[in-house]
Amino acid sequence: MRTVGQLLQQFLRVRARTEALCASLAPEDQVIQPHPDASPAKWHLGHTAWFFETFLLERFERGFAPHHPDYGFLFNSYYNGIGARVERPLRGLCTRPTVAEVLAYRNAVDERVATLIEEQPDSAPLAALVELGLNHEQQHQELLLTDIKAVLFQEPVFPAYAPGKPPQAGRGETGWTRFTGGRVWIGHEGADFCYDNELSRHEVLLRPYRLANELVSNGEFLRFMHDGGYARPEFWLADGWDVVRQRGWQAPQYWLQRGDDWFAHTLYGLQPVDPLAPVAHVSFFEADAYARYAGKRLPTELEWEHAARQSLAMDHPGALAGDVFEPHNAPVAGTGPRRMVGEVWEWTNSAYLPYPGYRAASGAIGEYNGKFMVNQVVLRGGSVATPRDHVRLSYRNFFHPDKRWQFTGIRLAEDAQAQ
Amino acid sequence: MRTVGQLLQQFLRVRARTEALCASLAPEDQVIQPHPDASPAKWHLGHTAWFFETFLLERFERGFAPHHPDYGFLFNSYYNGIGARVERPLRGLCTRPTVAEVLAYRNAVDERVATLIEEQPDSAPLAALVELGLNHEQQHQELLLTDIKAVLFQEPVFPAYAPGKPPQAGRGETGWTRFTGGRVWIGHEGADFCYDNELSRHEVLLRPYRLANELVSNGEFLRFMHDGGYARPEFWLADGWDVVRQRGWQAPQYWLQRGDDWFAHTLYGLQPVDPLAPVAHVSFFEADAYARYAGKRLPTELEWEHAARQSLAMDHPGALAGDVFEPHNAPVAGTGPRRMVGEVWEWTNSAYLPYPGYRAASGAIGEYNGKFMVNQVVLRGGSVATPRDHVRLSYRNFFHPDKRWQFTGIRLAEDAQAQ
Amino acid sequence: MRTVGQLLQQFLRVRARTEALCASLAPEDQVIQPHPDASPAKWHLGHTAWFFETFLLERFERGFAPHHPDYGFLFNSYYNGIGARVERPLRGLCTRPTVAEVLAYRNAVDERVATLIEEQPDSAPLAALVELGLNHEQQHQELLLTDIKAVLFQEPVFPAYAPGKPPQAGRGETGWTRFTGGRVWIGHEGADFCYDNELSRHEVLLRPYRLANELVSNGEFLRFMHDGGYARPEFWLADGWDVVRQRGWQAPQYWLQRGDDWFAHTLYGLQPVDPLAPVAHVSFFEADAYARYAGKRLPTELEWEHAARQSLAMDHPGALAGDVFEPHNAPVAGTGPRRMVGEVWEWTNSAYLPYPGYRAASGAIGEYNGKFMVNQVVLRGGSVATPRDHVRLSYRNFFHPDKRWQFTGIRLAEDAQAQ
Amino acid sequence: MRTVGQLLQQFLRVRARTEALCASLAPEDQVIQPHPDASPAKWHLGHTAWFFETFLLERFERGFAPHHPDYGFLFNSYYNGIGARVERPLRGLCTRPTVAEVLAYRNAVDERVATLIEEQPDSAPLAALVELGLNHEQQHQELLLTDIKAVLFQEPVFPAYAPGKPPQAGRGETGWTRFTGGRVWIGHEGADFCYDNELSRHEVLLRPYRLANELVSNGEFLRFMHDGGYARPEFWLADGWDVVRQRGWQAPQYWLQRGDDWFAHTLYGLQPVDPLAPVAHVSFFEADAYARYAGKRLPTELEWEHAARQSLAMDHPGALAGDVFEPHNAPVAGTGPRRMVGEVWEWTNSAYLPYPGYRAASGAIGEYNGKFMVNQVVLRGGSVATPRDHVRLSYRNFFHPDKRWQFTGIRLAEDAQAQ
């Protein structure tokens, strides 16, 4: 159990990191919306303040008054229970409040929340909402990075977000690990924070399966491309094939061919594609097509979670080791599946659906997860953009199968024989 | 094991029924495509002949020559492995071949297939493809009815497809039945025909649950509408809410309000909505929203199949009893969930995904099921439009969650306490 | 002045020709709508009957009752003053009434109109409406041909509408004729029928100009294509360039390249492009781009009309000489601009605007012309599809500048020096 | 003839005004693109510098090197002759260069142009291009104001661009003035600057007509609205009626109803609609519909120009008198049509077409006007946003008939009897 001082410290630390992520951007960079899935940096800054103001201050603060009468409309993301809002694809048309005004809003909210934490040190509901708000803020830290990447991709010179170069990755051995499966427990265990979609913890039956020790690399994906992967319908789900043709996909998001060479727009600017690094920015459709091309399949989320627990995936040295902004793949010691956490979000072949006994929270906060449980695919493991203390082995991320502006990659699986 | 004579008889019987379904239509009715999901009757007639010609005659007939050089292009549905084809939304622009020419095509194919069956009485692969082709034909018989319904809905007078009136339904008792679950087998068992997606048969763990004995009725759904169901986002999945607003949905497909009364376009023409009959032509989004409104949930496909087996659903008197073209709901004797087969396809809360150990057939025929395993939702049980000898308790139908031109309805479920 | 007998005879003759134009089509061919600008043959048949029923029978017939209560809704084209109607892009979804029922409708209307003509022989308003209705019918005869051409283009084998081959055309001398212009009269003169948009007759000032004696040929247009005409923005109006890129235009409508050779879908089936025949099925944008490529310009409609009157264009032997369904270009004797009437509609560089003193008729009939006087371009001269007694030198046809499913072609002009 | 000093002074004065117009905006306000027709302020600032760099510096500067290698791509508007460019609807996605970098670009270009002017004092081509560049800059000053207005309309609080209030306008007498017409000269006369589309000067024949002395007021337009103007198709051109229904127009652009009262978003913030001020932000379709409602018509551009010359419109006291940012209508002395210049752009019923003998300039600069001569409608007179020394009686502005984000209004005309 955390002390009040620890909670306050964590609150201030997480909040400050959000602003730090935007520190190198010009105000102009923080306004636009490069595509409807991404949001302006300014909006992320404001929305995460709004979350604390709406779900925490409004409930716990005596004599609560909103910081600004329009911000509730401007910075609501998707909570129908709260009221009207700027439609998502129009977020990039709001120039006011300015970045400076949004930062002032954040400061004001920070002070008011800090005061509340100190005044109500024993309020478990308050502490729970602080924790939810911080987890929410960390999710937006990841989105900030991917959305900034999308913004800078609009600019003809592909400016770098961070100085330096992406780490040149070697790669570990590329074997497979067998898991027996059987009757296994799935879902979050214990009293620590988790999202409602990680519950209830429940048992499932798994058949024996094998999981690749390494992620699929850029070099392997290039071979798929050279073999006509994007032009051969036999590898693709029907909906995926439609998307490939309609959008003219021929490579992962952010890849550009110049002469015979492939480059990728990264947070370090335009860089040659590293054949040993894990492929990223592929959709579920591409991950699934690659697996069929390779004669394998994607794991289910149940298989992934079971394997990760067996492999103590969180303990891998090197995972989540520092502020690297692009996937790489430095070899690590040990056996079994590697880098299951903190490299790229790994597409599974599981639809995002409620676990048995799932209960959404009541009120607007219950819109956090449950209402997205259709048409989306589960991803597991977290990426280089995920804050290191945010992800869990039971963590369920989800996106529509055609999305690829996140750091999303591929780990293969296959059925194993019973022994 | 069927004799050759039985196989031939079944072949001719099923094929003749397809033509009988179109007998009351004018040629003009058989050309148009009312929306991209539906196909012209003429196309169904030709495509089901093409299926036999392509997958059977071409393989087994010595000196095979196609009936017409263009029909392969015109009547391929979605088999990329076979080659180019008329894009689905353009099927309604093909006026040639005429209906008469298509019927001649069918006759020619029938004769050639009948000859093959007689000449190769012991060929198990031939018999298996005849069986697949007949099951395929039966699926299109269902689509013919739903697509003709869509065609006639375009006409300002809502002409009737069939004479007479839909049966006025009473309704049985509306209680619930508890199922203990546990470790249960799912999937097709035995040597009879099934689709590849019903395999492999495998065990799953089910928690205790309860299933409604009756389908949700029009009257119950009207109450949902009166309570603002279509206007209250708290009942809806996010993607569903988007669809409701974009398409302006305010009632099930085919419902029309005249004054205070609701009517529905049916295969018997425009008819008053019967409050006791089961609601049909609702999307998954509407089924799910109704369940949330009712404080319940939809069953999973596993729960549905388990309950159906427990209830011996196929034995219910009255189910599939005759050529009735619209859902009704006459009370039946007995206890437990009723009319799980042959009334309306029941939306489950299961995504359409491969069972463990799923293997698609090789070649173009393998495109039958597997490539649709994303973004779709499983439906179970068959509708009034499903041929009575076509459906099974392990049968998995699937549609995108926004579709509602099929006879799709709602059965509720809920968690049960362990005892 | 015509006698009653002559009027009746003309009425029956024109009406019968409409049906004759559809006689070789199957019912299936008469239902579909190949694109939103075209209408089904069945609709044209019904709409032209509706025109007489609505504007003539309803006004003059004692105890008028509509032939069918729904036809007013089904067959209204665009008369807001009459009431609701099937939206134009949905005309191809109406399968009822069937072709046979529409022909029965036509027969019934014919009999009732014939009766009226005989009963009210001295009614000038009646005779005027018969004449307007017949002119309207003749416009739809032209549309029937162009819309059937569009229907048959949907079919993979490009069936022929008419037997035989298009005439192989030679071509006349390709010089230019100078016109002095000055103060000239424009617009319809005399008591014969004309549309309201041909009035008022008025004087304009024209500078000296020259007009090409021949239409631009397919061979000349191929040279434009070979010189990169569709890829060089300097030839195109800005809106035209947008259309070229959005629709991927690379040749006139209906042209198809097979190997190195160009073919065109015609009413005689797929045929090699005749380099000496006039180019047809080009939009205004293409006509204008060709003119700029050639260092010339398109004539204004005033220049065209003045030149046509000077050249006695209607008297050219060969123009309108028979039932030829595609443009050709047989050489003719005489000097000056040739084939200004009856070959292809010639794009002018004049916007479709009211003449000075223009007055639309009152009531719904006033919607005939006036409400289209924006965004459209004037064409002059009539095409092979125009009934020979329908067109006049003052006749103003008009289409949006991107349309090309009509028989539309190019005649060049240029400024001349004052002498 | 201007001296070098005068030219230099004018150059610096006009350029400085552009920057002054943006001085009150935040960088955030200068990035976004509120709709595809409008451009970001930052883009206008950069594009007008690019115009001088491309058409003047590149030609006249020895050893010319571009200020930045990417700016040619970023700031080209529509000159195909110059090369590739950012597609217009994507201008709002460019965050780099920042506003500060664009201002530095402007300064650098200003210095280089000023140096050239001083170094080549006798170069007539240089002076001519400076003059063209300044006229171009002034056009963008007007667009800056209208596009900023569109940006601020996106913000929920409708921030004001300028402090204060719009002038409350009275209104002059609302009579009509008769013009005899006859054979009159049209087009620019003299050696002063004009655009190529104002030439050649030519004679036309005009019939007698009358022109309203006053612009149509907000109050008059409200009466049209109250009389169901937006719901009655009989007032509308067919294309206009389609637009009204598709976009749901019910009032001029920027108007909002709160309770029973109408407000308008203005450059002074949200303000009550002044019934005496001229209506603005109406499309051609609305102007034309209003005229038909009023039993009148719009003038042709020829009538407008002739009347303006007869009325000495430029000499009206009050016109163009100062920095007022919204149309008003203070009564002025004198007789005849008033405020024909500098209030609102007046829609005419003339399509934008070349005058007889029109010749576009050669090279990319020839794309300035000619390539827009289709689908657009001529407007005359200039608005409150037009720089006062920019407009002329022969000046031809042009927009597509559905556009209304400019200050566009209505003056009525009608035919007059010959006397």
Side-chain angles (χ1 to χ4, degrees), chain D residues 42-58:
Chain D
K42 186 162 77 73
W43 186 89
H44 284 298
L45 290 169
H47 167 69
T48 44
W50 168 91
F51 191 92
F52 281 103
E53 187 183 30
T54 302
F55 291 110
L56 195 139
L57 293 183
E58 193 165 341

Side-chain angles (χ1 to χ4, degrees), chain B residues 196-268:
Chain B
D196 57 10
N197 64 11
E198 300 168 52
L199 297 173
S200 67
R201 184 163 164 85
H202 63 288
E203 279 189 293
V204 301
L205 289 176
L206 292 186
R207 295 189 174 192
Y209 63 99
R210 305 201 312 146
L211 208 62
N213 291 343
E214 272 292 359
L215 295 162
V216 171
S217 68
N218 286 323
E220 288 166 333
F221 201 83
L222 274 163
R223 217 166 309 136
F224 167 72
M225 288 162 57
H226 289 317
D227 287 350
Y230 281 98
R232 292 168 62 183
E234 66 263 33
F235 300 139
W236 296 82
L237 290 163
D239 284 4
W241 184 239
D242 287 346
V243 168
V244 165
R245 289 189 300 165
Q246 283 160 16
R247 306 189 194 168
W249 282 356
Q250 304 198 326
Q253 175 83 311
Y254 296 131
W255 285 33
L256 299 166
Q257 197 169 22
R258 303 217 162 156
D260 286 343
D261 298 322
W262 284 98
F263 292 79
H265 166 68
T266 74
L267 285 166
Y268 300 100

